[in-house]
Amino acid sequence: MDFEEKVTYYDPSEQKEFEVVKAGVHNAYVKNFEFKREWTNDNNQVADIYEATYTLADTNMTVRSKGFFLWKSPGKDDSFASNPAGNKRVSIFLDAIGYPLNTVKIKNSKGEVQEVNAIPEVLDDSHITDAPLTITVVHEEYKGKTYAKEVKVEKWEDAPQKEEEEDLPF
C-alpha cells in the first residue's frame, strides 16, 4: 500500500504586516461581549469582568476593549459588599447600545430613595452583538509592541444597522 504524506507550507510572500488601528474616535459594531472571569477586590466587592471586541465600520479591523466590571449586588446569604458606583462604565456601554433596562426605585447608602437603571447580572447577547456605537481608541505598549485598546464608548448617532450576513445553504 502506498500512503501519500499530507503537507502544508509557509510562504513568506503571503505574510501581511500587522497593522494597528489608528488612535482616535471610530464608529464600530460590537462583535462580541465575553465573560472573562469573576474578581473580588480588597473591599470584598465582587465583579464579573467582561471584554468587548469591536469591528470598525470603515475598515473591518477589530479592537478589544479594556475590561467592563459588572459589580454584583449581594443577596441575603452573600457575605460580599456592594459597589453600585463601580457599574458606571458598564452602564454607559449599555446605554450607548440601547440595551433595554428597567428603572427601579432603591434606597441608596445615604437612605435616600432614588430611581436607577437595574442592570441584569446576566446580559443578553442578542441585545449586544452587532450593536453600533462610537469608540475612542488609544495605543498601549506591551513587551515592545503597540496595541490598540478601546477606552471610551458613546452612542453612535444615526448609526446604520449592520447588514446581516446570509447563511450559506450548506
Side-chain angles (χ1 to χ4, degrees):
M1 248 188 215
D2 198 14
F3 291 101
E4 186 175 321
E5 181 180 8
K6 286 184 73 172
V7 297
T8 189
Y9 62 94
Y10 166 66
D11 181 353
S13 69
E14 296 286 332
Q15 188 169 340
K16 295 180 181 174
E17 192 65 33
F18 177 72
E19 187 179 345
V20 178
V21 171
K22 289 180 174 44
V25 178
H26 301 272
N27 290 327
Y29 295 94
V30 180
K31 182 176 179 180
N32 58 40
F33 191 76
E34 292 183 319
F35 171 79
K36 290 298 182 181
R37 66 185 180 105
E38 185 178 85
W39 183 68
T40 303
N41 68 11
D42 292 339
N43 295 324
N44 196 33
Q45 298 164 328
V46 178
D48 286 339
I49 302 174
Y50 290 85
E51 182 181 82
T53 302
Y54 309 100
T55 302
L56 301 186
D58 57 349
T59 65
N60 239 14
M61 296 174 75
T62 59
V63 177
R64 288 189 179 159
S65 68
K66 69 178 190 174
F68 288 93
F69 287 66
L70 181 58
W71 294 95
K72 297 181 179 185
S73 295
K76 292 178 184 176
D77 296 330
D78 292 321
S79 60
F80 63 88
S82 67
N83 182 12
N87 284 323
K88 180 179 180 180
R89 179 166 154 76
V90 76
S91 178
I92 290 169
F93 172 81
L94 294 174
D95 185 53
I97 64 171
Y99 193 98
L101 297 174
N102 294 324
T103 303
V104 296
K105 289 186 180 187
I106 60 147
K107 190 178 280 191
N108 66 19
S109 61
K110 299 171 189 162
E112 303 163 338
V113 174
Q114 177 174 347
E115 230 177 57
V116 297
N117 286 330
I119 302 170
E121 287 187 9
V122 177
L123 297 170
D124 182 352
D125 283 345
S126 70
H127 294 295
I128 299 174
T129 304
D130 293 331
L133 42 75
T134 298
I135 63 174
T136 300
V137 174
V138 298
H139 288 166
E140 290 184 349
E141 297 288 327
Y142 181 71
K143 294 187 177 181
K145 294 191 177 192
T146 302
Y147 297 92
K149 183 138 306 218
E150 169 272 311
V151 294
K152 182 180 177 186
V153 296
E154 300 172 280
K155 183 176 182 160
W156 177 0
E157 298 296 337
D158 302 320
Q161 290 302 312
K162 188 171 182 185
E163 294 179 22
E164 290 186 28
E165 296 176 11
E166 291 185 36
D167 288 337
L168 297 175
F170 50 88

